[in-house]
């Protein structure tokens, strides 16, 4: 049950939709997320009304093709599956949305099952 936020610079629906598909497909492939478990907020920033900021931290040169991907999900996945997820998101972002892998910045935030309500004011995962 991941919740995904994607923020991209200078982007419209023609790029945001493929980026959303790339992240979702990577989650399905690497973490076994169900195919119909898609909850995403996709936002393009025009540089005038809204914008993004970045630097070349850790020697990775980023440019106006930057994409920030923030994924919130339940905890418990091993590090090797997370690394596979990062790699696959970058691969698919390049294939689906012509986004250079160096411009794909991904963060994971983990929480516990009772931290989710998927509707009706019910914590469906809390048992």
């Amino acid at each position: 049950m991941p919740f995904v936020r994607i923020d991209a610079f200078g982007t419209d629906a023609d790029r945001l939709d493929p980026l959303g598909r790339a992240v979702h497909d990577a989650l399905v492939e690497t973490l076994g997320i169900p195919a119909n478990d898609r909850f995403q907020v996709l936002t393009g920033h025009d540089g005038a009304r809204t914008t993004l900021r970045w630097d070349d931290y850790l020697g990775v040169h980023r440019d106006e093709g930057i994409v920030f991907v923030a994924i919130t999900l339940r905890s418990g996945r091993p590090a090797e599956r997370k690394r596979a997820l990062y790699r696959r998101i970058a691969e698919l972002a390049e294939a689906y949305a012509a986004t250079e892998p160096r411009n794909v910045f991904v963060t994971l935030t983990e929480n516990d099952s009772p931290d989710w309500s998927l509707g009706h004011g019910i914590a469906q995962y809390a048992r």
Side-chain angles (χ1 to χ4, degrees), residues 10 12 23 67 72 80 93 113 119 122 125:
D12 59 16
V23 172
V67 175
T72 303
E80 64 269 7
S113 293
I122 301 168
Y125 292 137

Side-chain angles (χ1 to χ4, degrees), residues 58-77:
L58 294 179
V60 179
H61 175 68
R62 298 165 190 88
D63 59 28
E64 287 78 18
I66 190 83
V67 175
F68 293 105
V69 179
I71 303 171
T72 303
L73 70 168
R74 292 186 290 162
S75 62
R77 280 122 180 140

Side-chain angles (χ1 to χ4, degrees), residues 10-54:
T11 300
D12 59 16
D14 290 339
R15 183 167 175 237
L16 285 171
D17 288 339
L19 287 170
R21 276 189 303 110
V23 172
H24 183 69
D25 289 354
L27 286 162
V28 170
E29 290 177 24
T30 62
L31 300 185
I33 301 301
N36 68 345
D37 188 356
R38 181 190 317 241
F39 297 92
Q40 299 180 333
V41 176
L42 311 174
T43 306
H45 299 269
D46 62 12
R49 292 174 300 174
T50 61
T51 195
L52 302 174
R53 300 283 185 249
W54 63 89

Side-chain angles (χ1 to χ4, degrees), residues 86-109:
Y86 304 144
R87 184 173 43 258
R88 192 64 177 145
I89 289 172
E91 291 169 353
L92 293 178
E94 183 175 37
Y96 294 2
T99 300
E100 294 184 45
R102 66 185 170 83
N103 278 322
V104 179
F105 184 101
V106 181
T107 64
L108 295 181
T109 301

